[in-house]
Amino acid sequence: MPPDGWPEKAARFTYIVVTRFFSIAVLLAAWEILARSGTFTPFQLPALSNVLLRIWQDAVTGDLAINTALTLYRALVSFAICAVGGVAIGMAMSRNRLAHWFFDPIISVGFPMPKIAFLPVIILWLGVYDVSKISIIVIDAIFPVIAATVIAIQGIERELLWSARNMGAREREMLWQIVLPAALPQIMTGLQVALPLTLIVAVVAEMLMGGYGLGGAMMTASRFANSTGVFAGIVEIAVIGYCLVKAMALLRRRLLIWHQEANEPTTA
Amino acid sequence: MKAPLDRSRRLGRVHATMSVPAQIVVDQVSHLYRPPRGREVLALDQVSLDVANREFVALLGPSGCGKSTLLYLIGGFLPVETGAILVDGKPVAAPGPDRGIVFQHFALFPWKTVRGNILYGLERQGMPKDEREQRALDFIELVGLNGFEDSYPSQLSGGMKQRTAIARTLAFDPKILLMDEPFGALDAQTRGLMQAELLRIWQRTPKTVIFVTHDVQEAVYLADRVAVMSARPGRIKTIVDTKFDKNDPAIFKAKAFVEKVDEIWNLVKDEAIKAQGKRT
Amino acid sequence: MKAPLDRSRRLGRVHATMSVPAQIVVDQVSHLYRPPRGREVLALDQVSLDVANREFVALLGPSGCGKSTLLYLIGGFLPVETGAILVDGKPVAAPGPDRGIVFQHFALFPWKTVRGNILYGLERQGMPKDEREQRALDFIELVGLNGFEDSYPSQLSGGMKQRTAIARTLAFDPKILLMDEPFGALDAQTRGLMQAELLRIWQRTPKTVIFVTHDVQEAVYLADRVAVMSARPGRIKTIVDTKFDKNDPAIFKAKAFVEKVDEIWNLVKDEAIKAQGKRT
Amino acid sequence: NSAEPVKIRMSWVAPVSNWASIVLEKKDLAKHMGKSYTIESIRYQGTPQMIAAIANNELEVSNLAYSSLAIAIGNAGLEDIRVIADEFQDGVPGHYSSQYYVRKDSGINKVEDLKGKVVGTNGGGSAIDIAIRATLKKHGLEEKRDYTMLEGPLPAMPAMLLEKKADLIPAVLPFALNPKLKEEGKVLFEQRETLGVTQMIVWTARKSFIDKNRAAMVDFMEDMLIITRWYQDPKNHAEVAQIASKITKAPPERFGWLFTKADTYRDPNLIPNVEALQRNVDVTQDLGFVKNKIDIKKYVDLSLAQEAAKRLK
Amino acid sequence: MKQFIRYLPLLLLALGWELAARLELVSTTALPPLSEVVVAWIDMIKTGELVTNGLASLYRAGAGLGLSIVIGGVLGIAMAWSKPVNVLVAPLVEMFYPLPKSALIPVTVIWLGFGDGSKILLIFLGCMLPVTIGAFNGARSSEQVLVWSARSMGAHKLRMLWDVVVPSAMPELLNGIRTALALSFILLVSSELIVAQMGFGYLIGYLGANGNYDAMYAVVLTVAFLGFAADRIYLLITKRTLAWRE
Ligand SMILES: Nc1ncnc2c1ncn2[C@@H]1O[C@H](COP(=O)(O)OP(=O)(O)OP(=O)(O)O)[C@@H](O)[C@H]1O
Ligand SMILES: Nc1ncnc2c1ncn2[C@@H]1O[C@H](COP(=O)(O)OP(=O)(O)OP(=O)(O)O)[C@@H](O)[C@H]1O
Ligand SMILES: [Mg+2]
Ligand SMILES: [Mg+2]
């Protein structure tokens, strides 16, 4: 085998990009063709090219950067709270009977509760600024993390816990050094569910409460029947979301390099 | 409720008949597994066993007779529900680094490399960094895993995993060693080397060892006493003295040795046949 | 690229020198593990081995030399990247029920009971319900697990898991048996019983068997030929003929038998020492 | 000619105050319902969804605020939309006009004092939102530069004011009746002071639909006239309060004001105030919500309501 | 008694609510005391509208959830085990995951209108995310020797997926389904809030628009209670399904 020269590398890279984005490209092409075919009015389905143009204009004026930064900030701060809080509550529930007693029914009730209905209360308590938005996001996205943590900890092989106890690990150390890594695969799954949820709820909260942010911009566009603006928002959120989801998957791969899933499945 | 009375009587006897007080006292211990679904299994039935300080006891018995269960109880992993287990005179309440255990299925941390697995116990003992790194290397060397320090358990062969587990437990130098078929997955030669190393460590830094094995020769060779367990529900059937000069290379051919092996072999055989008989 | 030429030459030779065509042909197979992170390991290096129809071959070798890897390749679980493996004249492409395997770590389905595990293969063969239920019971009986039919693997002792794995593979009666230290976790007696059963099955419904073991005696007793592998990277070092009358109860004491055991023991020992030597 | 009755889907947002939420309660008065047409009344969260539904032919008769009408025509390009009837008008003399409250103790005594304050709204571009912006603009105040807009649901507005989350809030019926609001708040201005009569909400339908189903639509309008008149007839007031109570789960006593002089004006002939509508749409355009001036007369078709009214003479 | 202690935290929560409202920690217009909510609830049960609206809602939630479990599960497993599926489908899934489903309404309305179809689609899309991620990650982590085991006993590829990959993925998959179950109730309400003639979300929407918060919270609590019951039943089933995990 000759050493990899740049042409091979470039070819390989192109190949990956082409295959990876093939389906998206097809979707986008279908969109443009459909919109231009005249089947729909621009209000129903604006052409992709116009939407991109609009995004470009927003980028030039700086609106895009501000809105994106605000939405991301809200989503990521909430995500951090969900990750830390969710894992902590989940761990407490698995290791402490009192915590389990307290949280178990509350989670069962709180998880499927349509929390939007409490919006007026939240606005009155916390206002419409970041605190209230972040609170709404957190109460919506923390549950998957808690649930995943609990079920992950239940599934840990008891010999692993014994092993650590045997080598002198104290309860606190066990949590960090054994329970957490052993449960990590499923906790990561919970986080992978929670991250896009935080983005979704961030946008929805912005839509409901107005103000800056991608959701606010989309809501405004939608009120003024500005479809191009609405679809621009959809595209922007899709791109940001895609990056977040990908980043999370990469992080997972890094953290779980030891795990079975790091290997490509054989004998498929 | 006559158990408490019984126990105190028995404990008295132990102290009276042995010059050194036993380091591990297993007193009329029974263990019943109650799985959430499926049948209950009485794994141990009134097992009693005393192991003196620095003694090396081998545990033999048919498959499923409760050997692992007994180690788990002494290790403090399972709660002692009937009977009592004392270590150094105190009832066992929880696992602790005074009792190192090598699990039958290794129980390596899959997210740590070979080195990381071995280092873990040392960190927990609070050993300084340089020292523990050195010690980990020494033990990797000892079990012949040089070059695999940074491999994850999933990248090791069965025997290599087992050797990692052995190294991990030996490295943090517990006073008491509980070993559950520690050499089961090793080839004859590596096994011989490991046996020699174990003996060397045992002699240099004296430890009390309880060693489960299926190899009668190994048991007789390594142990001071061999406890033979009966088929399920497990009981201690007989305890045989097996003190030989471990440093004699010709020991395996010695008549006394071969006879001991035969004697124990027959004891185990009876049990296995009984176990088999019970089924049909 | 001279492999193809080489191979065809070699295959020719095989057919010429053996009266029956080999059922399993392993031809100059190498295997390199490339883990996602960590070092690459050359587990097998140009291994060649032919196993005739109905032959019983034992595989011996130091820990980590690639025995399991070789079985995985023959089983069709890992892709053959260099060299070739033919079974019944066809290159191995995928796993199939013609080659039954007993894994070193059992690989029982944790969500199925003992019975469910054994039934699984039979269901896949499309055996009628009554028949397969009966057959599962027979094999549970054979390995002495009556009473544990409905236990989950997590509720079994090490040896019991292993016996379940053996029963599962024997039950669906594959033409070729690949067994990776199948008796490693069994006590001497149960092991003896299992050996006898295996031989009985092998003689009654003839099979080709490749059998990895660390017990030299067992290898010599069971196998027609014993292949000794060298330390990593694994190669086949020697193949020794070991045809004895398996039905002679005194065989273990026979001079010829003991000599064979010694011969092979020494071969393995050299390898293990080499493996050890390599490290230091 | 066709035996199948025409399906008419009607939209509503707020119960009781939108006709579509209550007309079916008196369907026994209707003469043609079930024969030449049928009604489905569908609740929408807001106008954006209605505009999308109209565009997709999912909604035949929609109740749009004047601002939404301007947006539907100017931004969504719904050129064939037609105003066919009135729903209610704000500020008609002798009737209610939306009030805008501040706290008594806030020190805000005139609109100019709102500089730097927080102003509550139910959402940018709504009829009320535009009224606020227009009023404040008249007094020289611009959003963002001079005041902050805070969005919240209309029912929560009194609480937002009283809990000091907002300094000015719109009070529409029935939330304006909150006793604590009356006690601790005071009216800073009424909508009519700046906008005069506001044609708040109109019914619209697409021209294509009207043309195709003209006869059925006249039948429909006729029945609607009968029903809406019944509701506004003072002698039915007790029963009306019962219906409102059943729908909103609020006690009937709370509906004393409903369809009286204390309520906003509803035209008995369902005829909208086109002149006011033109003014309102112009304000919307002034504030920049739609680009171009809209000549609203082109989008009004009162023939249905007039024909129906003739039949009832 | 045991059950009582078990659910005591809920009682505490309810008490907290009642107190917060009675002590006017928050305006009672926005959060009426729980006792009044209960009164409103009893009224609505009597008139039967909770039941009729509930049935309409449950049908939508059930259909959306069912679809998301089947399609999401299959997709997740297929993405884990088939390269082509992964390459083709994964980018789309990854793109649609983080989209607020309500933002997609303009698109879904074009195809499905504002009827049950678009609501079910919305619930389906929203619930699919956790199921797919759970199935994907669970399927990727199934132990290789188990897969090999099944294959060597004659299971063909699809069969092996069903027999080994699905059960190995079960813990994660089930957890994903639990999340989806919860989300289905939330999404149900938000989709019905947008446009509806019937359903819990419709009730919540117009009661809220009318400022009738005690009746609105009665509906919210009904949804929460149904979700709670579903979650409890679901946990029971999970416990049985995963009994093999000691
Ligand atoms: N977690 C468990 N739940 C239920 N039963 C169990 C459990 N673990 C072990 N048993 C039962 O207890 C008995 C003793 O098991 P144990 O593992 O102690 O045997 P062992 O002597 O170590 O056998 P082996 O030599 O095969 O490892 C067995 O019959 C087994 O079925
Ligand atoms: N998944 C893997 N990734 C990387 N390396 C591996 C993997 N599996 C095995 N190896 C390496 O391949 C070599 C051979 O492993 P194999 O399991 O075939 O040995 P073995 O002969 O069966 O040993 P044992 O008797 O200890 O079971 C070992 O050195 C091991 O480190
Ligand atoms: Mg055991
Ligand atoms: Mg192996």
Side-chain angles (χ1 to χ4, degrees):
Chain A
M1 277 283 261
D4 273 351
W6 72 265
E8 284 88 3
K9 271 190 187 156
R12 200 168 156 62
F13 181 74
T14 324
Y15 171 79
I16 288 175
V17 169
V18 167
T19 50
R20 272 277 140 196
F21 293 101
F22 175 74
S23 43
I24 294 184
V26 168
L27 185 79
L28 296 183
W31 174 1
E32 180 74 20
I33 291 169
L34 207 63
R36 296 225 170 259
S37 71
T39 322
F40 302 107
T41 63
F43 169 67
Q44 286 173 298
L45 188 70
L48 172 63
S49 40
N50 292 340
V51 171
L52 293 179
L53 189 69
R54 158 78 193 242
I55 294 176
W56 171 248
Q57 287 163 350
D58 284 351
V60 171
T61 59
D63 279 358
L64 180 61
I66 293 177
N67 287 333
T68 308
L70 270 174
T71 303
L72 263 183
Y73 160 76
R74 288 169 189 143
L76 293 181
V77 168
S78 318
F79 177 69
I81 297 174
C82 287
V84 174
V87 171
I89 293 177
M91 281 195 168
M93 282 179 67
S94 322
R95 315 284 300 175
N96 179 312
R97 293 191 49 182
L98 199 70
H100 186 268
W101 165 80
F102 184 73
F103 283 112
D104 178 58
I106 289 185
I107 283 171
S108 268
V109 173
F111 204 167
M113 176 99 74
K115 280 151 286 240
I116 299 186
F118 290 90
L119 190 71
V121 182
I122 289 176
I123 291 179
L124 287 178
W125 258 339
L126 304 170
V128 287
Y129 302 106
D130 282 348
V131 180
S132 67
K133 284 179 186 150
I134 289 173
S135 315
I136 288 191
I137 303 172
V138 168
I139 55 177
D140 258 320
I142 199 171
F143 289 106
V145 184
I146 300 177
T149 307
V150 170
I151 195 126
I153 292 177
Q154 273 169 11
I156 298 177
E157 246 182 277
R158 56 179 193 170
E159 268 93 353
L160 290 182
L161 301 174
W162 290 359
S163 229
R165 297 282 302 277
N166 179 245
M167 287 187 271
R170 283 181 301 264
E171 191 65 20
R172 185 68 106 40
E173 293 167 328
M174 291 277 291
L175 283 183
W176 275 111
Q177 294 161 354
I178 311 301
V179 173
L180 193 63
L184 195 59
Q186 292 198 50
I187 292 180
M188 284 301 293
T189 305
L191 294 180
Q192 280 177 293
V193 171
L195 181 62
L197 259 189
T198 58
L199 185 65
I200 291 174
V201 185
V203 171
V204 170
E206 287 168 357
M207 287 171 100
L208 289 175
M209 298 187 194
Y212 282 106
L214 292 175
M218 263 175 86
M219 192 65 227
T220 309
S222 140
R223 280 191 186 132
F224 299 144
N226 177 353
S227 293
T228 319
V230 173
F231 279 83
I234 293 180
V235 171
E236 285 157 12
I237 295 167
V239 170
I240 293 169
Y242 182 84
C243 296
L244 288 183
V245 165
K246 271 284 160 208
M248 204 63 196
L250 274 181
L251 180 70
R252 181 187 178 98
R253 198 156 346 133
R254 289 213 72 146
L255 288 177
L256 300 183
I257 192 77
W258 50 271
H259 197 248
Q260 174 64 46
E261 66 181 42
N263 304 305
E264 277 299 310
T266 57
T267 325
Chain B
M1 285 289 282
K2 73 187 227 290
L5 223 172
D6 245 321
R7 186 182 312 161
S8 56
R9 201 155 27 90
R10 229 185 83 75
L11 293 183
R13 190 185 55 75
V14 170
H15 288 278
T17 53
M18 296 182 70
S19 50
V20 260
Q23 183 171 33
I24 305 174
V25 178
V26 178
D27 185 26
Q28 310 237 40
V29 167
S30 303
H31 191 82
L32 184 69
Y33 281 107
R34 297 184 204 82
R37 214 149 50 157
R39 56 175 248 179
E40 301 195 335
V41 176
L42 184 63
L44 292 177
D45 187 19
Q46 307 237 13
V47 169
S48 298
L49 176 71
D50 304 317
V51 183
N53 201 353
R54 308 189 173 183
E55 198 181 14
F56 197 129
V57 171
L59 216 52
L60 275 170
S63 165
C65 73
K67 304 178 292 295
S68 302
T69 307
L70 183 56
L71 289 200
Y72 295 161
L73 287 166
I74 299 175
F77 306 118
L78 296 176
V80 181
E81 287 171 350
T82 358
I85 297 184
L86 309 184
V87 170
D88 288 325
K90 280 191 284 293
V92 164
D98 54 328
R99 284 149 290 147
I101 184 161
V102 179
F103 288 100
Q104 191 168 7
H105 296 303
F106 324 142
L108 298 177
F109 302 130
W111 58 89
K112 283 181 188 280
T113 60
V114 168
R115 188 210 314 274
N117 266 283
I118 297 175
L119 277 175
Y120 185 75
L122 304 180
E123 282 164 22
R124 294 286 66 69
Q125 312 308 301
M127 189 180 281
K129 188 158 168 28
D130 287 355
E131 197 179 331
R132 66 175 188 249
E133 290 287 346
Q134 186 52 48
R135 196 169 169 88
L137 280 189
D138 290 349
F139 275 87
I140 289 172
E141 171 87 36
L142 180 89
V143 296
L145 284 177
N146 326 43
F148 289 89
E149 296 87 349
D150 296 324
S151 297
Y152 288 99
S154 63
Q155 299 163 5
L156 299 178
S157 80
M160 289 156 88
K161 280 185 213 161
Q162 190 161 45
R163 283 181 276 156
T164 310
I166 297 169
R168 178 170 75 165
T169 306
L170 289 181
F172 74 85
D173 195 30
K175 262 189 335 197
I176 296 173
L177 263 178
L178 308 170
M179 307 180 88
D180 201 349
E181 296 181 46
F183 304 150
L186 302 181
D187 60 292
Q189 266 305 320
T190 312
R191 187 172 191 139
L193 290 168
M194 290 284 106
Q195 288 172 351
E197 288 296 345
L198 178 62
L199 279 182
R200 211 166 50 78
I201 290 174
W202 179 60
Q203 284 162 346
R204 219 173 32 185
T205 58
K207 295 178 194 311
T208 311
V209 183
I210 301 184
F211 186 97
V212 174
T213 178
H214 286 313
D215 184 331
V216 181
Q217 256 200 353
E218 181 175 79
V220 176
Y221 170 60
L222 292 175
D224 297 330
R225 289 193 294 155
V226 173
V228 178
M229 290 184 67
S230 65
R232 193 167 0 91
R235 290 200 190 82
I236 302 270
K237 186 181 175 182
T238 341
I239 298 185
V240 183
D241 260 319
T242 52
K243 274 229 162 81
F244 290 95
D245 178 7
K246 324 267 179 219
N247 297 326
D248 177 359
I251 184 79
F252 291 100
K253 312 260 156 156
K255 188 154 168 288
F257 186 89
V258 173
E259 274 174 10
K260 273 286 185 216
V261 171
D262 271 352
E263 179 193 339
I264 295 174
W265 171 273
N266 284 325
L267 283 167
V268 180
K269 182 176 174 171
D270 291 351
E271 276 317 309
I273 288 170
K274 238 188 271 166
Q276 199 78 7
K278 231 176 254 162
R279 296 176 212 143
T280 40
Chain C
M1 285 292 281
K2 74 187 228 289
L5 223 173
D6 245 321
R7 186 183 312 160
S8 56
R9 196 148 38 83
R10 228 186 84 74
L11 293 184
R13 188 184 59 75
V14 170
H15 288 278
T17 54
M18 295 183 70
S19 51
V20 260
Q23 183 170 33
I24 304 174
V25 178
V26 178
D27 186 26
Q28 309 238 39
V29 167
S30 304
H31 191 82
L32 184 69
Y33 280 106
R34 295 186 206 81
R37 209 152 52 165
R39 56 174 247 178
E40 301 195 334
V41 177
L42 184 63
L44 293 176
D45 186 19
Q46 308 237 13
V47 169
S48 298
L49 176 72
D50 304 317
V51 183
N53 200 353
R54 306 190 175 184
E55 198 182 12
F56 197 129
V57 171
L59 216 53
L60 275 171
S63 166
C65 74
K67 305 177 292 295
S68 301
T69 306
L70 183 56
L71 289 199
Y72 295 162
L73 287 165
I74 299 175
F77 307 120
L78 297 176
V80 181
E81 287 171 350
T82 358
I85 297 184
L86 308 184
V87 169
D88 287 326
K90 282 191 283 293
V92 164
D98 54 329
R99 282 150 291 147
I101 184 161
V102 179
F103 288 98
Q104 190 168 8
H105 295 304
F106 325 143
L108 298 177
F109 301 127
W111 53 87
K112 283 184 189 279
T113 59
V114 168
R115 188 210 312 273
N117 266 285
I118 296 175
L119 278 175
Y120 184 75
L122 304 178
E123 280 164 24
R124 293 282 71 69
Q125 312 307 301
M127 189 180 279
K129 187 156 166 32
D130 288 354
E131 198 180 332
R132 67 175 187 250
E133 290 286 348
Q134 186 52 49
R135 196 168 169 88
L137 280 188
D138 290 349
F139 275 86
I140 289 172
E141 171 88 35
L142 179 89
V143 295
L145 283 176
N146 328 43
F148 289 89
E149 297 87 348
D150 297 323
S151 297
Y152 287 99
S154 64
Q155 299 162 4
L156 299 178
S157 80
M160 291 157 87
K161 281 183 212 163
Q162 189 161 45
R163 284 182 275 157
T164 310
I166 296 169
R168 178 171 75 165
T169 306
L170 289 180
F172 74 86
D173 195 30
K175 261 189 336 198
I176 296 173
L177 263 179
L178 308 171
M179 307 180 90
D180 201 349
E181 298 182 44
F183 304 151
L186 302 181
D187 61 291
Q189 266 305 320
T190 312
R191 188 172 191 138
L193 289 168
M194 289 284 108
Q195 289 172 351
E197 288 296 346
L198 178 62
L199 278 182
R200 212 167 50 78
I201 290 175
W202 179 61
Q203 283 162 346
R204 218 174 32 186
T205 58
K207 295 179 194 312
T208 311
V209 183
I210 302 184
F211 186 98
V212 173
T213 178
H214 287 314
D215 184 332
V216 181
Q217 256 200 353
E218 181 175 78
V220 175
Y221 169 60
L222 291 175
D224 297 330
R225 289 192 294 155
V226 173
V228 178
M229 291 183 68
S230 65
R232 194 166 1 92
R235 290 199 190 83
I236 301 270
K237 185 181 174 180
T238 342
I239 299 185
V240 183
D241 260 320
T242 52
K243 274 229 160 82
F244 290 95
D245 179 7
K246 324 265 180 221
N247 296 326
D248 178 358
I251 185 78
F252 292 99
K253 313 259 158 159
K255 189 154 166 288
F257 185 88
V258 174
E259 274 173 10
K260 272 287 185 219
V261 170
D262 270 351
E263 179 193 338
I264 294 173
W265 172 271
N266 283 325
L267 284 167
V268 180
K269 183 176 176 171
D270 291 351
E271 276 317 310
I273 288 170
K274 238 189 271 166
Q276 200 79 6
K278 231 178 253 161
R279 294 176 213 143
T280 40
Chain D
N1 52 354
S2 68
E4 266 304 283
V6 178
K7 187 166 86 177
I8 299 175
R9 284 168 291 192
M10 298 175 74
S11 65
W12 58 280
V13 176
V16 181
S17 66
N18 294 152
W19 282 124
S21 68
I22 49 173
V23 287
L24 286 178
E25 296 296 324
K26 292 308 292 179
K27 63 176 167 226
D28 46 310
L29 298 178
K31 291 192 272 186
H32 309 285
M33 198 185 293
K35 296 184 195 112
S36 59
Y37 72 95
T38 57
I39 290 181
E40 269 181 34
S41 71
I42 303 179
R43 178 170 188 273
Y44 282 73
Q45 194 180 24
T47 27
Q49 291 85 13
M50 282 187 210
I51 296 178
I54 298 168
N56 289 307
N57 291 318
E58 290 264 326
L59 177 61
E60 282 75 34
V61 173
S62 54
N63 62 329
L64 294 179
Y66 64 87
S67 53
S68 315
L69 176 68
I71 285 165
I73 298 168
N75 297 354
L78 289 172
E79 279 293 324
D80 72 342
I81 201 163
R82 294 294 175 267
V83 174
I84 58 169
D86 162 73
E87 183 150 297
F88 69 83
Q89 305 168 21
D90 183 290
V92 172
H95 280 265
Y96 184 78
S97 177
S98 297
Q99 297 171 326
Y100 295 80
Y101 274 81
V102 292
R103 279 185 310 281
K104 269 185 187 153
D105 59 4
S106 65
I108 300 171
N109 296 314
K110 52 185 190 305
V111 177
E112 283 76 7
D113 295 344
L114 284 169
K115 198 170 166 86
K117 302 284 183 192
V118 177
V119 173
T121 171
N122 64 330
S126 72
I128 288 167
D129 182 75
I130 285 176
I132 299 176
R133 285 169 199 266
T135 306
L136 270 65
K137 196 175 168 200
K138 235 176 164 177
H139 293 85
L141 300 180
E142 291 275 356
E143 199 219 329
K144 283 183 190 144
R145 193 189 70 195
D146 303 313
Y147 61 95
T148 314
M149 280 234 159
L150 177 56
E151 290 192 18
L154 283 174
M157 283 296 162
M160 281 171 67
L161 180 75
L162 300 176
E163 309 229 332
K164 304 201 166 102
K165 301 286 175 203
D167 300 304
L168 173 86
I169 57 133
V172 299
L173 288 169
F175 316 117
L177 304 174
N178 187 325
K180 267 188 101 176
L181 181 66
K182 298 233 144 114
E183 186 187 314
E184 293 178 32
K186 63 173 182 194
V187 177
L188 186 67
F189 60 88
E190 280 196 346
Q191 184 163 323
R192 67 180 125 213
E193 292 167 21
T194 36
L195 296 190
V197 174
T198 317
Q199 179 57 54
M200 287 292 270
I201 298 183
V202 291
W203 287 7
T204 67
R206 295 186 83 154
K207 181 169 189 305
S208 49
F209 180 79
I210 298 172
D211 290 349
K212 206 171 134 213
N213 305 295
R214 185 152 197 104
M217 280 300 279
V218 175
D219 289 350
F220 162 76
M221 286 305 291
E222 181 185 348
D223 287 350
M224 289 304 108
L225 270 173
I226 296 172
I227 294 173
T228 53
R229 284 177 185 175
W230 181 88
Y231 272 109
Q232 299 192 66
D233 189 341
K235 68 174 187 285
N236 297 330
H237 190 80
E239 197 183 338
V240 169
Q242 282 301 332
I243 291 173
S245 157
K246 179 183 140 212
I247 285 179
T248 60
K249 321 253 172 317
E253 307 85 79
R254 282 211 209 145
F255 292 100
W257 53 275
L258 191 59
F259 303 137
T260 66
K261 291 263 176 190
D263 198 355
T264 44
Y265 175 77
R266 292 158 196 268
D267 190 82
N269 290 318
L270 290 177
I271 300 293
N273 184 337
V274 179
E275 175 262 336
L277 185 60
Q278 180 69 57
R279 255 190 302 112
N280 304 146
V281 169
D282 289 346
V283 167
T284 310
Q285 192 249 335
D286 267 356
L287 288 169
F289 290 107
V290 286
K291 268 194 238 83
N292 303 313
K293 221 169 155 56
I294 297 169
D295 178 11
I296 211 68
K297 279 199 294 296
K298 287 202 298 194
Y299 302 96
V300 176
D301 177 358
L302 300 180
S303 61
L304 299 172
Q306 283 159 349
E307 265 176 59
K310 253 181 245 152
R311 285 199 206 163
L312 288 180
K313 280 281 156 62
Chain E
M1 190 62 206
K2 228 172 115 191
Q3 291 296 318
F4 174 75
I5 292 178
R6 192 148 168 224
Y7 295 120
L8 194 58
L10 291 181
L11 204 69
L12 295 179
L13 213 64
L15 233 91
W17 176 340
E18 182 75 20
L19 282 179
R22 292 262 174 232
L23 298 178
E24 303 251 341
L25 291 181
V26 60
S27 154
T28 40
T29 32
L31 191 73
L34 184 61
S35 45
E36 285 177 21
V37 173
V38 172
V39 170
W41 185 79
I42 292 171
D43 271 359
M44 293 177 83
I45 285 287
K46 274 192 200 145
T47 60
E49 59 195 317
L50 268 182
V51 180
T52 43
N53 283 291
L55 289 179
S57 282
L58 289 183
Y59 156 70
R60 292 169 191 149
L65 181 65
L67 277 178
S68 73
I69 291 173
V70 174
I71 297 181
V74 168
L75 215 58
I77 289 173
M79 273 161 56
W81 280 82
S82 151
K83 198 99 199 212
V85 173
N86 193 334
V87 165
L88 279 182
V89 178
L92 291 183
V93 175
E94 284 158 355
M95 235 181 46
F96 278 100
Y97 269 176
L99 274 184
K101 304 305 172 282
S102 47
L104 288 178
I105 286 180
V107 198
T108 59
V109 168
I110 291 180
W111 304 112
L112 294 171
F114 268 129
D116 275 354
S118 63
K119 295 189 186 76
I120 291 173
L121 180 71
L122 226 65
I123 296 171
F124 158 70
L125 285 177
C127 292
M128 209 178 79
L129 153 80
V131 180
T132 308
I133 297 189
F136 177 78
N137 287 337
R140 297 259 320 175
S141 63
S142 48
E143 255 190 81
Q144 206 160 50
V145 275
L146 296 186
V147 170
W148 291 354
S149 234
R151 292 280 276 145
S152 85
M153 284 188 275
H156 52 80
K157 233 156 117 178
L158 276 180
R159 187 78 219 184
M160 176 278 291
L161 284 178
W162 178 250
D163 288 345
V164 180
V165 175
V166 173
S168 322
M170 211 37 110
E172 294 213 35
L173 183 58
L174 284 175
N175 196 45
I177 292 176
R178 182 182 183 191
T179 307
L181 183 70
L183 285 184
S184 71
F185 282 87
I186 297 172
L187 288 162
L188 165 76
V189 169
S190 22
S191 71
E192 287 176 346
L193 272 178
I194 294 164
V195 195
Q197 274 179 288
M198 246 206 185
F200 286 133
Y202 161 81
L203 286 179
I204 291 176
Y206 88 73
L207 291 172
N210 197 45
N212 199 328
Y213 287 128
D214 44 5
M216 182 189 83
Y217 283 120
V219 183
V220 172
L221 283 194
T222 311
V223 177
F225 175 76
L226 286 178
F228 174 76
D231 192 55
R232 287 285 131 174
I233 292 169
Y234 168 84
L235 283 180
L236 271 183
I237 296 171
T238 311
K239 211 167 169 187
R240 307 199 98 208
T241 321
L242 298 183
W244 50 270
R245 297 207 310 182
E246 291 176 22

